[in-house]
Amino acid sequence: VLVKRIPTTSLDDIILLLSRKLLSLLHDNLLLVESFEGADGSNVRVVVREKSDDVIDTVLRGVSEVEDELGVVGVIFPDIVTPDEI
């Protein structure tokens, strides 16, 4: 997990929860979860070893579960990439 901003924000706390959730779902396929400001509006970069439709669905399910758990909707906009896409 990499938090790039100082001071940290409430989104950073959400990213930490998301990273725990994704680690339990993706195991060794998860490489990095970091705060991110993408040109497309994404705010969290999720780096995985292998990206497939199943992996994307798993990440989005994890995002949904974290948002539901925290009672927030539409706060996490992930950019799901492999190392060669960075």
Side-chain angles (χ1 to χ4, degrees):
V1 178
L2 178 61
V3 179
K4 294 181 178 179
R5 289 184 294 266
I6 296 183
T8 59
T9 67
S10 60
L11 179 60
D12 297 320
D13 292 332
I14 293 170
I15 291 171
L16 289 171
L17 290 174
L18 177 63
S19 66
R20 281 189 219 123
K21 174 65 75 176
L22 293 179
L23 185 59
S24 71
L25 295 172
L26 296 172
H27 308 283
D28 291 342
N29 195 26
L30 181 65
L31 297 175
L32 176 69
V33 179
E34 66 178 341
S35 59
F36 177 71
E37 293 182 22
D40 61 354
S42 56
N43 58 7
V44 177
R45 179 182 281 156
V46 178
V47 183
V48 293
R49 287 183 201 280
E50 296 180 20
K51 184 169 75 171
S52 66
D53 290 342
D54 286 341
V55 170
I56 292 169
D57 288 344
T58 300
V59 170
L60 295 177
R61 183 179 42 153
V63 166
S64 178
E65 289 175 8
V66 167
E67 288 184 336
D68 288 347
E69 181 181 323
L70 296 174
V72 296
V73 177
V75 173
I76 305 169
F77 299 100
D79 180 32
I80 306 163
V81 297
T82 59
D84 61 329
E85 295 176 303
I86 297 175

